[in-house]
């Protein structure tokens, strides 16, 4: 093994950069896991501490599936960061199951939203626009999750692309947890039932805001670490930007509204 100063000076910066990149991806997965934990705290993890009505079983399943994904994400980032790539690759195949479970559970809960609001004794009228927008947000998010995670599996041997695709896929499904921050009273919500959409109607704003901050973090990291944007970062950011523009257009179109209420059982 060479111990020449020139060799050592070349190797050391490379190892430092690799360690910094590893910390960034580990940090991103922990931030997203914290968003899920906090967002679902009142309705799932900390139900005993909040005055909430009884929750149907499918909500528990939906929350636990989503939480399990982010637990897997953190585990995978930790394994990769510690150089345990063989275990990382073996566990990674579990992503295939989540590529089916998460979209199915997410859209199932979404389609039940109008009935849930009615069952709570609330007037559905103030929530119509919100239901339509969230429906299409969830639909686009599900498609993005499947697309990004599918691409991440196909490109699993290209580390830089794989890591970014996994992050973008996870950001796509962070929206429900981020939206639930709007239900905390500190942000102006006056409803006591935190399982219902916020009285301020700002659920979508919180969801998209959380997404924008996370995507922005990937962009900044690329610019700081590489002085340029990785191709996957550009593609992912463009896809999220296009989704943000398309969702309100489709949600407010006659065809978009018809699809929502045909699948949700009518107004």
């Amino acid at each position: 093994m060479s111990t020449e100063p020139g060799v050592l000076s070349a190797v050391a910066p490379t190892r430092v950069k690799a360690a910094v990149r590893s910390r960034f991806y580990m940090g991103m997965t922990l931030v997203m896991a914290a968003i899920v934990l906090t967002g679902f705290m009142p309705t799932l993890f900390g139900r005993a501490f909040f005055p909430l009505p009884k929750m149907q079983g499918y909500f528990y399943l939906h929350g636990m599936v989503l939480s399990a994904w982010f637990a897997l994400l953190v585990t995978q980032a930790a394994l990769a960061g510690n150089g345990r790539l063989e275990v990382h690759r073996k566990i990674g195949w579990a992503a295939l199951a989540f590529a089916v479970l998460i979209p199915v559970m997410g859209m199932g809960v979404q389609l039940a939203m109008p009935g849930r609001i009615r069952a709570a004794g609330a007037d559905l009228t103030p929530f119509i626009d919100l239901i339509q927008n969230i429906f299409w947000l969830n639909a686009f998010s599900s498609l993005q999750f499947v697309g990004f995670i599918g691409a991440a599996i196909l490109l699993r041997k290209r580390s830089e692309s794989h890591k970014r695709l996994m992050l973008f896929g996870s950001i796509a499904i962070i929206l429900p947890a981020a939206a639930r921050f709007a239900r905390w009273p500190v942000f102006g919500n006056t409803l006591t039932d935190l399982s219902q959409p916020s009285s301020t109607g700002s659920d979508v704003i919180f969801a998209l805001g959380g997404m924008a901050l996370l995507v922005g973090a990937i962009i900044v990291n690329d610019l700081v670490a590489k002085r340029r944007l990785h191709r996957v970062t550009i593609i992912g950011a463009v896809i999220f930007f296009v989704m943000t523009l398309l969702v309100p257009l489709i949600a407010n179109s006659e065809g978009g509204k018809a699809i929502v209420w045909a699948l949700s059982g009518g107004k």
Side-chain angles (χ1 to χ4, degrees):
M1 180 177 177
S2 175
T3 57
E4 295 178 12
V7 174
L8 292 177
S9 61
V11 172
T14 300
R15 289 178 176 174
V16 170
K17 290 179 180 179
V20 170
R21 287 198 296 270
S22 176
R23 287 199 296 271
F24 171 75
Y25 289 99
M26 187 73 234
M28 283 288 287
T29 61
L30 289 172
V31 166
M32 286 191 278
I35 290 173
V36 171
L37 179 63
T38 306
F40 287 111
M41 179 59 68
T43 53
L44 182 61
F45 303 111
R47 285 184 64 85
F49 303 101
F50 296 88
L52 297 172
K54 184 179 179 181
M55 188 168 71
Q56 295 94 330
Y58 66 84
F59 271 111
Y60 289 103
L61 183 59
H62 167 60
M64 295 313 296
V65 167
L66 196 65
S67 301
W69 168 259
F70 285 96
L72 174 65
L73 191 69
V74 172
T75 300
Q76 288 292 79
L79 288 171
N82 291 324
R84 301 180 64 185
L85 296 181
E86 188 61 33
V87 179
H88 173 89
R89 294 188 185 102
K90 289 180 180 179
I91 296 178
W93 289 108
L96 289 173
F98 286 99
V100 176
L101 287 172
I102 286 179
V104 169
M105 293 302 304
M107 291 308 298
V109 169
Q110 169 60 44
L111 293 174
M113 187 176 179
R116 189 165 69 251
I117 294 173
R118 292 192 191 98
D123 180 13
L124 191 63
T125 304
F127 298 104
I128 287 177
D129 288 341
L130 179 65
I131 291 170
Q132 292 166 175
N133 278 284
I134 291 181
F135 174 93
W136 287 108
L137 269 179
N138 280 333
F140 274 87
S141 295
S142 296
L143 288 173
Q144 288 168 8
F145 177 75
V146 173
F148 283 127
I149 299 307
I153 292 173
L154 290 174
L155 299 177
R156 59 190 178 277
K157 293 183 180 180
R158 300 182 185 179
S159 176
E160 293 299 321
S161 294
H162 174 78
K163 291 185 290 188
R164 287 169 175 80
L165 287 165
M166 291 296 289
L167 287 184
F168 276 112
S170 301
I171 291 171
I173 58 171
I174 204 74
L175 301 181
R180 280 166 171 75
F181 277 75
R183 303 180 186 184
W184 287 88
V186 69
F187 296 117
N189 182 33
T190 58
L191 296 179
T192 56
D193 183 357
L194 301 184
S195 65
Q196 300 302 324
S198 170
S199 61
T200 64
S202 55
D203 298 63
V204 173
I205 294 174
F206 272 76
L208 293 178
M211 179 193 75
L213 288 173
L214 292 168
V215 172
I218 298 176
I219 292 173
V220 170
N221 179 70
D222 271 9
L223 294 175
V224 171
K226 292 180 170 293
R227 301 292 189 270
R228 62 180 177 83
L229 294 179
H230 191 278
R231 179 174 56 185
V232 170
T233 300
I234 296 172
I235 294 172
V238 169
I239 288 174
F240 279 122
F241 178 71
V242 170
M243 179 200 75
T244 303
L245 294 179
L246 283 180
V247 164
L249 292 177
I250 297 175
N252 291 305
S253 68
E254 292 306 315
K257 293 176 184 178
I259 292 174
V260 173
W261 298 108
L263 296 176
S264 301
K267 296 181 183 178

